[in-house]
Amino acid sequence: LAKTTQPISMDSYEGQEVNITCSHNNIATNDYITWYQQFPSQGPRFIIQGYKTKVTNEVASLFIPADRKSSTLSLPRVSLSDTAVYYCLVGGGDYKLSFGAGTTVTVRA
Amino acid sequence: DAGITQSPRHKVTETGTPVTLRCHQTENHRYMYWYRQDPGHGLRLIHYSYGVKDTDKGEVSDGYSVSRSKTEDFLLTLESATSSQTSVYFCATSTQAQDNQPQHFGDGTRLSIL
């Protein structure tokens, strides 16, 4: 499994864009990059996944450079309800996920 | 998410007692997983199942056993609970065991062992 490194915490204000960068230097050729979100007292929730370039959905965007050694999750115009822990994962072929400590994003009014 | 129900949601028990946690899914997903979440450790995989009666160990399987007699149910058993097993336990499911198939999580069971 590829090891990932992401910031422990980030603070933001409502309406701002939040960008969380995850490093995964030893990503394998067939690995996907997946981000999950977790609110207190809930299980993680899948938010976005990508293999290369850019992926966008109704919640977030994921930017992946050509070398795939890092990725950036972008949350546009955050609100208080976006306060959560965000996990970056790079999966193995048998899908034994490895969740690190994640990035705690705190959005303030 | 994905029709996953964990029971009980909260449990307090004493050291040395057996404990069974249940995960029930209504999505007919083939793969099921048990994780524990502790401060500073993120989520760690305990056991997973790739079909009825087919299970394998994860990263932190010591002291835990699992069973899957039906597609929809995955049980996690602590044969003799210890205080180090106090944690929040999450069940997850997926359609495939490939990293482009997201896992869907339940809302967890908070287990306290005194």
Side-chain angles (χ1 to χ4, degrees), chain B residues 7-101:
Chain B
S7 59
R9 292 296 314 279
H10 303 272
K11 186 174 181 65
V12 180
T13 190
E14 295 183 346
T15 299
T17 60
V19 177
T20 295
L21 308 183
R22 180 182 184 233
C23 178
H24 178 78
Q25 57 127 340
T26 60
E27 297 296 315
N28 202 35
H29 286 174
R30 178 180 176 184
Y31 296 86
M32 298 186 74
Y33 312 81
W34 277 108
Y35 293 87
R36 62 178 287 174
Q37 185 172 37
D38 306 289
H41 289 279
L43 279 89
R44 292 180 290 175
L45 181 65
I46 304 171
H47 281 280
Y48 68 102
S49 169
Y50 47 97
V52 174
K53 297 186 180 179
D54 292 323
T55 65
D56 203 353
K57 297 178 179 180
E59 178 185 359
V60 290
S61 59
D62 288 347
Y64 302 94
S65 62
V66 290
S67 65
R68 190 162 177 208
S69 58
K70 298 185 290 185
T71 298
E72 58 266 35
D73 290 326
F74 193 32
L75 304 180
L76 176 70
T77 297
L78 292 64
E79 300 290 348
S80 178
T82 67
S83 59
S84 65
Q85 293 175 312
T86 292
S87 187
V88 180
Y89 292 85
F90 289 99
C91 172
T93 72
S94 67
T95 56
Q96 301 286 340
Q98 299 168 353
D99 68 344
N100 63 332
Q101 297 298 320

Side-chain angles (χ1 to χ4, degrees), chain A:
Chain A
L1 295 173
K3 177 178 170 57
T4 61
T5 303
Q6 54 184 120
I8 295 297
S9 64
M10 298 182 71
D11 289 342
S12 184
Y13 290 92
E14 286 189 293
Q16 290 188 334
E17 180 181 78
V18 172
N19 296 305
I20 309 171
T21 296
C22 179
S23 298
H24 29 79
N25 290 319
N26 60 338
I27 187 170
T29 302
N30 58 346
D31 284 343
Y32 280 76
I33 301 157
T34 308
W35 286 81
Y36 288 81
Q37 173 192 56
Q38 185 178 23
F39 298 114
S41 301
Q42 294 185 23
R45 180 175 73 101
F46 167 84
I47 51 174
I48 199 165
Q49 183 181 71
Y51 183 79
K52 61 181 180 180
T53 64
K54 176 184 174 182
V55 179
T56 298
N57 62 22
E58 66 277 6
V59 176
S61 295
L62 179 60
F63 299 91
I64 305 169
D67 66 6
R68 303 198 333 119
K69 294 184 182 300
S70 67
S71 59
T72 299
L73 175 73
S74 180
L75 306 172
R77 298 178 299 281
V78 295
S79 65
L80 297 176
S81 63
D82 291 314
T83 293
V85 179
Y86 293 83
Y87 297 95
C88 165
L89 284 85
V90 177
D94 58 2
Y95 210 43
K96 292 180 183 178
L97 297 184
S98 176
F99 284 79
T103 298
T104 299
V105 173
T106 303
V107 180
R108 307 180 193 280

